[in-house]
Amino acid sequence: MEFKMKRILYSLFIVGFAMTAFAQTKVGTTAATFLQMPIGTKASGMGGAFVATADDATALFWNPGGISRLARSEFSVSYSEWLAETNYSWAGLVFKLSPDDAIGVSVNQVDYGEGDVTTAAQPEGTGEKWSASSIAVGLTYTRSLTDRFSVGGTLKYVSETVYNSSASALAVDIGLLFKTQLDGLRLGMNISNFGTEMQLSGKDLLQPIDIDQSNTGNNANITGNLATDAWPLPLNFVVGLAYDPVYNETFKVTLAADANYPNNQTSYINAGAEVVWNNLLALRVGYNSIFKDNPITGLMGGVGINYDLGGMNAKIEYSYSQIETFSKDINRISVAVGF
């Protein structure tokens, strides 16, 4: 069985590397880039190095292979402001079917706000408002195949809407988590957003056209549909390591690092650490986008408080980072309940 697990690990690594090696690596060549925005306060507090930790409900985003390892079912929500008065939120529910099986559902939503509709004839506004938003809804199943190896997959529906036009796609995430024979050392891998392309459609793209301008006797206002290009999703392959050099009744220390290989920007590394005291207070620090061309984030940190309530527990967590290009503070807040 262990030999088979190693073969699966090697095969997924080769597949993931090939997918990213032959993909275009150009900025601005994918749709639904909100799928790359980090979610959750624990992961973001650790600089986004979470694929090999994946020990709470946000593993639905970072590595679906981790949710079968959760000790109990968990519900988690997080919220953050972003650039230009936009905000994004995430909610996830993990339900343990058995000690080795778990399912989950998640919703990732970005609200870009609204603005006045203007035209050439009414530059001050028509009285209407336009809005834009993005959403991804995922359904996850994960199984622990052995006491060391678990694998999971997520099927996602992705949609983006701008005023009266929208685009949608289907995508899958595949993640795995492997506890090595070295006590406290874990290996994680995740391939995310492998799916169909997105192409805008809607009544905003319906425009009157004259299909034969040389013929004055034809209808000069035939309704035409402007065809937009189709764009791929932001495919990403991540491989990471996490290690607990200290793990006792009083302290737990976790060190983690993830290597990211996206198809729409340069490769980069996230690194972070967490210190937990008495399973009550957690302090986190990390650095995001190491070696990335023109990174917008860097140093990140956070804190979390865990309350045990008998058969349940509650977590309140906070993380902070800054988008250096815009000198924008990013504050994330999350609440989770285990049951």
Side-chain angles (χ1 to χ4, degrees), residues 29-32 195-198 230-235 263:
T29 58
T30 60
T196 59
E197 295 183 330
M198 300 185 72
W231 298 89
L233 295 174
L235 182 68
N263 69 336

Side-chain angles (χ1 to χ4, degrees), residues 16 22 49 55 72 85 91 102-103 128 167 184 201 207 214 224 229 253 261 264 278 309-310 330 333:
F22 291 100
D55 60 356
R72 63 186 77 189
E85 298 183 356
I103 59 173
E128 296 181 276
S201 62
Q207 299 293 327
S214 63
D229 289 334
V253 178
Y261 301 91
N264 62 352
N278 277 338
L309 305 171
I330 303 297
I333 300 173

Side-chain angles (χ1 to χ4, degrees), residues 1-8 145-146:
M1 180 63 73
E2 185 174 348
F3 177 71
K4 290 183 178 180
M5 293 305 101
K6 290 182 179 179
R7 291 183 61 182
I8 293 174
L145 302 179
T146 71

Side-chain angles (χ1 to χ4, degrees), residues 35 59-65 106 136 138-142 151-156 158 170-176 189-195 233-236:
L35 295 172
L60 292 167
F61 176 88
W62 297 96
N63 182 359
S106 59
L139 177 63
T140 302
Y141 173 72
T142 303
V151 60
T154 298
L155 176 64
K156 293 190 294 191
V158 183
L170 292 176
V172 295
D173 299 347
I174 300 175
L176 59 87
M189 295 183 189
N190 188 45
I191 298 172
S192 59
N193 309 320
F194 181 73
L233 295 174
L235 182 68
N236 191 27

